[in-house]
């Protein structure tokens, strides 16, 4: 839990270091979003993409922030934490944030857990308020790493959020949903999200290093904010970790389009017969690749035939079941095809089962032989 009075503490180097140690000590792995495993030395060349949050969503976000008594800034921090959590597979998300009166970057931890969405929003607001008291801290990122539970030289985080407040008459963006692409910028972090809040509108700019697509990251942020405000309006107790960040179009592409792998095949043919036909068409093509090696269709067929002859000699034929107890490997594929070629049926067994349970299953299913 976060002490909502943390932000009232006076600034000293000792209590600031204690504050960051309390916030970061439970973080035991670096939060590296979007597969960017490290931050190379020197500056990175980035591309940028920007857009305006739809006015309807902007209004809903401001309404919920006012209802909860939290800042819109805290809702944007929570939305960004959702994106980083999904892309780093971390529940305790750490990223850099720039506070208004602080000229550098300070780390912040946001937990994407079973906590209800409304409570999570309040926790982020309290943490930002607490961070304000330590914004004069001469905290180097190496010290932040030492305050955490992350070992080694890996960076503690690789993403930033820069929340900027401005007056409405200072903004230069007038067209809703307007985008600007391919601007180049330099930074030490692979991913930076900037939010421009003029009190009436919200502009978002994403800077990302190749091969990341900044526009795609921006889409995730927009969806995260939509999911967040919808939960606050309708199901405030919903676990924040359950909120989706995939836009509808990408959700359809990932779950349906990429899984549309159905093809027509001869219904009256057995699997091993179809395999043998493929052997005739592409004997030298790669059929199996695994940790124990690569097999062409011809090599796989040869090994499966040899096993089939052995199994037949052991009495395997129609209506005989053969147990297969093996890790995923090319040998396992040989075993399955060999059993089918012999006329039997395979019974897969988990290699993690205790030997006593394996023996019990083998006796119960009457398996004619075991391959593994």
């Amino acid at each position: 839990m976060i002490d909502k009075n943390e932000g009232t503490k006076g600034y000293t180097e000792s209590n600031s270091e204690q504050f960051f140690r309390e916030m970061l000590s439970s973080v035991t792995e670096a939060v590296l979003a979007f597969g960017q495993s490290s931050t190379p030395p020197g500056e990175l060349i980035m591309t940028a993409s920007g857009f305006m949050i739809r006015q309807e969503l902007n209004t809903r976000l401001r309404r919920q922030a006012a209802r909860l008594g939290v800042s819109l800034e805290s809702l944007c921090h929570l939305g960004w934490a959702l994106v980083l959590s999904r892309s780093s597979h971390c529940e305790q998300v750490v990223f850099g944030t720039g506070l208004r009166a602080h000229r550098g970057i300070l780390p912040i931890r946001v937990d994407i857990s079973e906590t209800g969405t409304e409570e999570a929003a309040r926790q982020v607001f309290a943490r930002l308020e607490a961070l304000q008291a330590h914004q004069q801290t001469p905290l180097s990122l190496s010290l932040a790493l030492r305050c955490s539970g992350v070992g080694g030289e890996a960076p503690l985080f690789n993403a930033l959020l820069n929340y900027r407040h401005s007056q409405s008459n200072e903004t230069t963006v007038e067209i809703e949903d307007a985008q600007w692409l391919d601007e180049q910028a330099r930074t030490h972090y692979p991913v930076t999200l900037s939010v421009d809040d003029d009190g009436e509108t919200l502009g978002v700019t994403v800077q990302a290093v190749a091969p990341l697509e900044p526009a795609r990251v921006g889409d995730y942020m927009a969806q995260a904010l939509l999911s967040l405000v919808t939960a606050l309006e309708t199901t405030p107790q919903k676990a924040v970790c359950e909120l989706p960040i995939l836009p509808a179009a990408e959700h359809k592409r990932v779950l349906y389009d990429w899984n549309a792998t159905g093809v027509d095949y001869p219904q009256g043919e057995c699997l091993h017969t179809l395999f043998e036909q493929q052997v005739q068409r592409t004997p030298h093509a790669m059929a199996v690749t695994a940790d124990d090696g690569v097999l062409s269709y011809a090599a796989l067929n040869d090994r499966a035939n040899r096993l089939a002859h052995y199994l037949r000699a052991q009495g395997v034929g129609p209506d005989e079941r053969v147990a297969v107890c093996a890790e995923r490997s090319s040998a396992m594929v040989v075993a399955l095809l060999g059993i089918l070629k012999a006329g039997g049926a395979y019974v897969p067994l988990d290699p993690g089962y205790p030997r006593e349970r394996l023996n019990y299953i083998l006796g119960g299913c009457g398996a004619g032989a075991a391959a593994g």
Side-chain angles (χ1 to χ4, degrees), residues 280-359:
Q280 295 298 316
R281 289 191 293 268
T282 58
H284 303 298
M286 182 176 65
V288 176
T289 178
D291 290 342
D292 57 345
V294 177
L295 291 178
S296 66
Y297 277 95
L300 176 57
N301 191 52
D302 180 65
R303 293 191 185 187
N305 284 340
R306 280 185 279 149
L307 178 60
H309 287 301
Y310 171 79
L311 292 174
R312 284 176 180 170
Q314 303 302 311
V316 174
D319 298 326
E320 289 291 337
R321 290 169 291 173
V322 180
V324 179
C325 184
E327 301 287 350
R328 290 178 180 269
S329 61
S330 58
M332 183 187 73
V333 179
V334 170
L336 301 184
L337 281 171
I339 294 167
L340 295 176
K341 284 173 174 281
Y346 57 82
V347 180
L349 300 179
D350 188 340
Y353 281 166
R355 181 171 295 276
E356 295 77 9
R357 180 159 177 77
L358 288 174
N359 290 336

Side-chain angles (χ1 to χ4, degrees), residues 128-147:
L128 282 171
E129 289 288 291
L131 204 58
Q132 294 284 346
H134 305 276
Q135 58 187 322
Q136 300 302 324
T137 305
L139 182 77
S140 68
L141 293 181
S142 60
L143 176 57
L145 183 61
R146 290 198 299 273
C147 288

Side-chain angles (χ1 to χ4, degrees), residues 96-292:
T97 183
L99 300 178
R100 275 173 281 179
H102 186 68
R103 306 182 86 177
I105 300 297
L106 291 177
I108 184 171
R109 191 192 94 212
V110 177
D111 297 337
I112 303 300
S113 62
E114 296 291 338
T115 302
T117 302
E118 186 172 296
E119 178 58 25
R122 289 195 170 98
Q123 288 184 1
V124 174
F125 175 68
R127 179 144 288 162
L128 282 171
E129 289 288 291
L131 204 58
Q132 294 284 346
H134 305 276
Q135 58 187 322
Q136 300 302 324
T137 305
L139 182 77
S140 68
L141 293 181
S142 60
L143 176 57
L145 183 61
R146 290 198 299 273
C147 288
S148 75
V150 178
E153 299 299 322
L156 179 57
F157 55 85
N158 70 349
L160 305 179
L161 190 156
N162 185 22
Y163 198 95
R164 302 181 292 218
H165 296 264
S166 62
Q167 298 300 317
S168 59
N169 59 1
E170 294 177 358
T171 183
T172 59
V173 180
E174 299 177 354
I175 303 175
E176 186 173 312
D177 293 329
Q179 295 194 353
W180 52 96
L181 305 174
D182 297 325
E183 298 177 10
Q184 286 197 334
R186 293 178 181 271
T187 181
H188 296 281
Y189 295 91
V191 191
T192 299
L193 178 87
S194 297
V195 178
D196 288 288
D197 179 2
D198 66 7
E200 297 178 1
T201 63
L202 281 179
V204 175
T205 304
V206 178
Q207 296 170 309
V209 67
L212 292 181
E213 300 174 13
R216 191 175 181 186
V217 176
D219 287 343
Y220 295 154
M221 179 60 176
Q223 180 60 51
L225 291 176
L226 176 60
S227 299
L228 175 60
V229 77
T230 301
L232 290 173
E233 291 169 340
T234 60
T235 53
Q237 301 307 313
K238 183 175 183 177
V240 69
C241 63
E242 296 178 3
L243 302 184
I245 69 161
L246 281 183
E250 185 163 350
H251 183 270
K252 176 180 178 296
R253 183 165 64 250
V254 171
L255 290 187
Y256 300 102
D257 296 349
W258 289 352
N259 286 314
T261 56
V263 294
D264 293 330
Y265 63 93
Q267 297 291 322
E269 301 270 11
C270 294
L271 175 61
H272 62 282
T273 303
L274 294 173
F275 169 75
E276 289 167 351
Q277 293 172 6
Q278 186 64 38
V279 173
Q280 295 298 316
R281 289 191 293 268
T282 58
H284 303 298
M286 182 176 65
V288 176
T289 178
D291 290 342
D292 57 345

